[in-house]
Amino acid sequence: MSSLPKCPQCSSEFTYEDGSMYICPECAHEWPKDAAAETTEEKRVIRDANGNELNDGDTVTVIKDLKVKGSSLVVKVGTKVKNIRLVDGDHDIDCKIDGIGSMGLKSEFVKKA
């Protein structure tokens, strides 16, 4: 049995050492040996305007008219956005809105439906 740690990204048991790094052959994730003890990564919690925690796949409602940059379109109050995807960056949410298309939203302008 191997004493090497499991991959922190895909939990594969088939990791191997390469110099001062561990490498996962299944997902190609690489991480330093000294970080092996820190296999639990801190996950950023994204909350809506009311303080409810958001997750991938949630449905949210827009709470403020939002102008779409570079366009004359407006996302109206009460627009439901289904199947959101949480991302890192200034705009926390990637989504598709009917009639507008793919766009990024800030979590402070939505509430969980």
Side-chain angles (χ1 to χ4, degrees):
M1 178 157 193
S2 175
S3 63
L4 298 174
K6 291 184 179 182
C7 175
Q9 202 163 37
C10 71
S11 299
S12 171
E13 297 177 357
F14 303 112
T15 58
Y16 63 91
E17 293 181 63
D18 184 23
S20 64
M21 303 286 283
Y22 288 122
I23 299 174
C24 175
E26 291 185 7
C27 70
H29 179 66
E30 299 180 5
W31 69 102
K33 285 184 181 177
D34 58 354
E38 303 170 15
T39 55
T40 57
E41 293 182 19
E42 262 188 51
K43 192 173 182 183
R44 185 173 156 217
V45 177
I46 298 176
R47 300 190 181 276
D48 68 359
N50 295 332
N52 299 317
E53 185 175 338
L54 296 174
N55 298 306
D56 286 340
D58 282 346
T59 299
V60 296
T61 305
V62 177
I63 62 169
K64 178 183 175 185
D65 282 348
L66 301 172
K67 294 179 184 176
V68 179
K69 231 179 205 182
S71 169
S72 62
L73 298 173
V74 175
V75 179
K76 296 285 187 181
V77 171
T79 302
K80 280 200 173 187
V81 182
K82 297 178 184 175
N83 199 19
I84 65 169
R85 193 173 54 247
L86 302 177
V87 295
D88 289 331
D90 188 31
H91 292 75
D92 306 310
I93 300 169
D94 273 349
C95 61
K96 288 185 181 176
I97 298 178
D98 293 336
I100 295 175
S102 296
M103 67 181 307
L105 295 173
K106 291 186 177 183
S107 59
E108 62 196 67
F109 299 121
V110 298
K111 68 177 180 178
K112 198 168 186 174

